[in-house]
Amino acid sequence: MGKIVLASSSPRRTEILKEMKLDFDTIPSEYDEPHTQTVFSYDFVKKLAYNKALDVAKKLHEKHIEKLVIGADTIVVIDNKILGKPKDYQNAYDDLKMLSDRTHFVVTAVAVVSSKDLKSEVETDTTYVTFEKLTDEQIKYYLDNFKPFDKAGSYGIQELPDWYVKSVYGDIDNVIGLPSNVVLKLLDKFTGS
């Protein structure tokens, strides 16, 4: 059993940790995200990631199980407004229409909490994504075929057809949901390696 626990049921985050060759277990956090805030702030997304990791770390702490718990939260921001997971098809369509032919940024906060003493470290990573000018047909094609209704900003960059994205400035893993460079940096603070 690994020393690391991922406090998420996200298959995308699981895949990134596997690609990093980390030995880890998965215990999804039961922390209920109050995604009511619509104006962006780094503190807000950091708090969400921290609370997810803390939820799992506290449970392990009570059982005297020592692990490093990773929590993460990813948000999509345009015009300083947070685009959360879409409520329905129309909401997803409106999001992609808003992102079309513009640059937005994606922020992932990563928190690592030690279940031993509940000490924590939290950092964020920001990536800038520019979409091509998307036609109504392209937006509908993507929504109908990929159904990105569980994703912030109504899209998953790893499944978008190539011609939808003009440029990505920063770590693409951050847009997918877990920046590997930040994960390693935070783990190093606990392990000292």
Side-chain angles (χ1 to χ4, degrees):
M1 194 184 269
K3 251 191 89 58
I4 299 166
V5 169
L6 175 64
S8 171
S9 57
S10 162
R12 296 170 291 282
R13 290 186 178 129
T14 299
E15 198 55 46
I16 288 169
L17 285 188
K18 281 181 182 169
E19 284 168 10
M20 292 169 68
K21 306 273 191 275
L22 291 176
D23 184 14
F24 68 98
D25 300 301
T26 302
I27 303 173
S29 175
E30 290 174 12
Y31 173 71
D32 193 20
E33 302 170 46
H35 264 262
T36 49
Q37 185 166 328
T38 55
V39 178
F40 169 69
S41 79
Y42 279 100
D43 286 343
F44 173 67
V45 69
K46 280 180 170 179
K47 191 171 83 176
L48 292 175
Y50 169 73
N51 283 329
K52 286 179 177 180
L54 185 65
D55 172 65
V56 173
K58 277 182 174 174
K59 289 170 185 158
L60 294 171
H61 180 75
E62 286 164 11
K63 296 175 181 170
H64 305 288
I65 299 170
E66 291 185 20
K67 301 278 185 181
L68 293 175
V69 181
I70 300 170
D73 199 87
T74 303
I75 55 173
V76 174
V77 184
I78 191 161
D79 299 332
N80 215 39
K81 179 184 167 205
I82 295 170
L83 296 185
K85 294 173 185 173
K87 291 189 268 302
D88 53 30
Y89 187 96
Q90 186 61 48
N91 185 195
Y93 176 87
D94 293 343
D95 283 354
L96 292 177
K97 194 80 176 160
M98 193 188 315
L99 297 174
S100 172
D101 202 27
R102 296 185 63 195
T103 299
H104 62 279
F105 63 95
V106 180
V107 178
T108 297
V110 180
V112 175
V113 179
S114 167
S115 67
K116 179 182 177 182
D117 50 17
L118 301 183
K119 282 191 176 149
S120 64
E121 293 283 345
V122 187
E123 288 218 9
T124 60
D125 197 22
T126 304
T127 302
Y128 295 85
V129 180
T130 305
F131 275 21
E132 295 286 2
K133 188 166 178 62
L134 302 177
T135 65
D136 290 352
E137 290 71 30
Q138 284 174 315
I139 292 172
K140 286 174 184 167
Y141 169 83
Y142 176 68
L143 293 177
D144 292 342
N145 289 281
F146 293 93
K147 305 189 183 340
F149 308 115
D150 63 334
K151 296 179 177 72
S154 304
Y155 77 91
I157 198 156
Q158 69 279 10
E159 65 191 21
L160 273 177
D162 289 343
W163 59 90
Y164 282 50
V165 178
K166 192 179 287 181
S167 66
V168 176
Y169 180 74
D171 185 353
I172 194 145
D173 280 353
N174 179 50
V175 187
I176 295 170
L178 196 64
S180 46
N181 57 329
V182 174
V183 171
L184 290 174
K185 185 174 166 189
L186 292 178
L187 291 174
D188 277 352
K189 288 185 178 184
F190 286 92
T191 58
S193 56

